[in-house]
């Protein structure tokens, strides 16, 4: 992979993570203030699942954005852990509550989301740009 493309993907992941952070924060705000309707809540999901969903989005975005800005060496592992959390939530929402329209369509979308998390995890562990960005004070990060 070219250095330019590698750096572009890393910056793109930063932007997407900032978007997840904002989406999660707005979802939590809508959860806490029910009169505030932005259309982020899914009426098919129980209230507790709604909270977990948006809280996990906030954590995922926050870990990557702050980790990126502070060059936190464990950002890669924290992000991969949060992708596993998001995948688990997606599984519950899809299988138990018919997210994405349920049925075969919902499962295909869920599996596509899983593939994205796997691809991002592989990228985070193998990318030279990620490695160099999160390497701090001459110490190699744990991979």
């Amino acid at each position: 992979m070219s250095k330019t493309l590698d750096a572009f993907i890393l910056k793109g992941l930063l932007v997407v993570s900032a978007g997840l952070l904002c989406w999660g924060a707005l979802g939590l705000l809508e959860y806490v203030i029910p009169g505030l309707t932005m259309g982020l809540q899914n009426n098919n999901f129980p209230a507790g699942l709604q909270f977990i969903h948006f809280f996990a989005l906030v954590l995922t975005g926050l870990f990557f954005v702050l980790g990126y800005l502070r060059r936190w060496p464990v950002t890669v592992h924290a992000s991969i852990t949060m992708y596993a959390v998001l995948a688990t939530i997606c599984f519950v929402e899809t299988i138990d509550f018919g997210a994405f329209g349920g049925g075969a369509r919902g499962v295909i979308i869920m599996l596509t989301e899983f593939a994205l998390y796997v691809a991002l995890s592989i990228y985070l562990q193998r990318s030279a740009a990620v490695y160099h960005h999160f390497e701090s004070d001459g110490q190699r990060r744990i991979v």
Side-chain angles (χ1 to χ4, degrees):
M1 178 181 307
S2 76
K3 285 184 180 182
T4 305
L5 178 60
D6 197 11
F8 178 76
I9 292 172
L10 181 58
K11 298 278 190 205
L13 189 52
L14 176 63
V15 170
V16 169
S17 296
L20 287 176
L21 175 59
C22 292
W23 176 26
L26 289 173
L28 285 176
L29 186 63
E30 187 179 47
Y31 177 83
V32 172
I33 306 169
L36 180 66
T37 54
M38 294 178 272
L40 298 175
Q41 303 296 314
N42 185 331
N43 294 331
N44 295 328
F45 300 165
L49 183 57
Q50 302 264 21
F51 175 79
I52 291 169
H53 174 95
F54 289 110
F55 187 66
L57 289 175
V58 166
L59 288 179
T60 302
L62 191 65
F63 285 162
F64 193 83
V65 169
L66 289 180
Y68 181 89
L69 295 175
R70 297 188 52 99
R71 295 182 177 258
W72 186 36
V74 296
T75 301
V76 169
H77 296 288
S79 296
I80 292 170
T81 299
M82 289 311 301
Y83 297 156
V85 169
L86 291 177
T88 302
I89 294 167
C90 178
F91 178 84
V92 170
E93 290 173 348
T94 303
I95 301 304
D96 291 342
F97 300 103
F100 308 117
R105 179 179 183 270
V107 170
I108 289 169
I109 293 170
M110 176 188 72
L111 292 174
T112 302
E113 188 172 326
F114 289 1
L116 175 64
Y117 294 142
V118 169
L120 287 172
S121 297
I122 292 169
Y123 168 74
L124 286 172
Q125 289 190 350
R126 296 184 179 234
S127 161
V130 170
Y131 175 80
H132 291 296
H133 182 82
F134 293 107
E135 184 178 35
S136 63
D137 301 327
Q139 296 177 356
R140 295 178 58 113
R141 66 183 169 87
I142 301 169
V143 178

